[in-house]
Amino acid sequence: PLSAYINESGEFSRIKLNDNILYNLFLYFIFPRCIIYTMCIIVCFNIGKLNRNNVEYAKRMEVLAEIDGMTGLYNKSKYLSILSNEYDEDSSVSVIYWDINNLKTINDTNGHEEGDELIRIVANNILVLAQENKKAFRVGGDEFVMILKDADENEALKIIRQWKDNVDSVKNKYTFEISASVGYASGRGKNLQDIIKQADENMYIEKKKYHESLNSR
């Protein structure tokens, strides 16, 4: 307190540098406290900055933990975590299921590098169509799912057409075939598991047709 520096008669009670009491007050009372306050501000600023950086880092790590490293789509762990809590029971939901055709053949004949490239091409063309209400996931080595919230069958068909058009526009750039069988289904959020299963089954119907067409050539 100020009383530690000035006695009852109003004289400066510490070592006197000169007769100017204001000078002594500044040197012994004001200046040291300014230094302390300044250091406190710097420390608080750095602590706040560190906390913000830690929060941002934690968010980045959380996002990275949900993303498939090869494709940029959400991974299977994220896919499983949202099924039980993200979709309202009464909301309309559509599911699209992709499965790449002939991936094993391309891996065996062209090498795994081209097989990985095929996975990325198919996935990238799914990713560009994904939005906040259209989440896309890599659920297997060559299997992908998109869940469309508040979307009906027409919206699912629109996404499939856009995906096929995008793939067709890049096919000529590659020496291997870019193809995937696609199935979809629609319904209510309370039946999401059944909708996913139906989309999967519809995809396999398309895959069977694809193989039958290959055998008939």
Side-chain angles (χ1 to χ4, degrees):
L2 186 61
S3 60
Y5 295 87
I6 299 177
N7 58 29
E8 294 179 357
S9 61
E11 296 177 346
F12 199 79
S13 60
R14 298 296 177 93
I15 299 174
K16 184 180 289 186
L17 297 180
N18 57 50
D19 293 329
N20 188 334
I21 190 172
L22 294 178
Y23 177 86
N24 292 324
L25 279 173
F26 175 78
L27 183 63
Y28 287 100
F29 182 78
I30 299 174
F31 179 71
R33 280 159 175 75
C34 288
I35 294 296
I36 293 172
Y37 294 152
T38 302
M39 295 304 297
C40 286
I41 291 172
I42 293 173
V43 169
C44 290
F45 174 80
N46 286 330
I47 290 175
K49 183 178 180 180
L50 181 62
N51 287 337
R52 288 192 298 272
N53 290 340
N54 286 339
V55 170
E56 291 174 0
Y57 177 78
K59 288 181 179 178
R60 288 197 300 271
M61 290 300 100
E62 183 179 355
V63 170
L64 289 175
E66 298 174 342
I67 299 298
D68 175 66
M70 177 184 288
T71 64
L73 299 173
Y74 285 119
N75 58 28
K76 189 171 183 178
S77 177
K78 174 68 173 178
Y79 168 73
L80 294 174
S81 71
I82 71 164
L83 292 183
S84 60
N85 54 25
E86 183 143 339
Y87 299 95
D88 298 332
E89 288 191 353
D90 292 330
S91 63
S92 57
V93 176
S94 291
V95 175
I96 306 173
Y97 212 112
W98 286 266
D99 188 285
I100 296 176
N101 295 323
N102 295 327
L103 178 61
K104 184 178 185 305
T105 301
I106 292 173
N107 281 333
D108 293 342
T109 57
N110 297 31
H112 284 273
E113 288 187 5
E114 290 201 2
D116 290 346
E117 183 65 14
L118 173 58
I119 291 173
R120 282 189 288 266
I121 294 167
V122 172
N124 287 343
N125 284 285
I126 296 173
L127 183 60
V128 298
L129 300 174
Q131 300 172 5
E132 185 176 354
N133 64 331
K134 301 178 180 67
K135 288 186 168 64
F137 311 84
R138 185 186 183 191
V139 296
D142 59 351
E143 296 180 356
F144 310 94
V145 171
M146 179 182 286
I147 302 178
L148 292 72
K149 190 175 182 179
D150 299 323
D152 57 14
E153 181 176 314
N154 291 330
E155 184 69 17
L157 287 170
K158 180 181 177 181
I159 292 291
I160 294 172
R161 284 195 299 269
Q162 289 176 326
W163 178 83
K164 288 182 177 179
D165 289 342
N166 292 344
V167 169
D168 288 340
S169 68
V170 300
K171 276 184 176 181
N172 294 333
K173 298 179 181 179
Y174 301 93
T175 58
F176 50 84
E177 180 185 13
I178 302 173
S179 173
S181 298
V182 188
Y184 71 94
S186 301
R188 293 292 174 184
K190 61 184 177 182
N191 300 319
L192 182 57
Q193 295 287 357
D194 293 333
I195 298 170
I196 293 171
K197 182 179 178 181
Q198 186 62 55
D200 187 23
E201 291 175 355
N202 292 339
M203 179 274 294
Y204 275 106
I205 292 173
E206 292 300 312
K207 184 170 282 289
K208 182 178 179 181
K209 292 179 181 178
Y210 171 82
H211 287 296
E212 288 175 350
S213 66
L214 289 181
N215 294 333
S216 63
R217 291 178 186 176

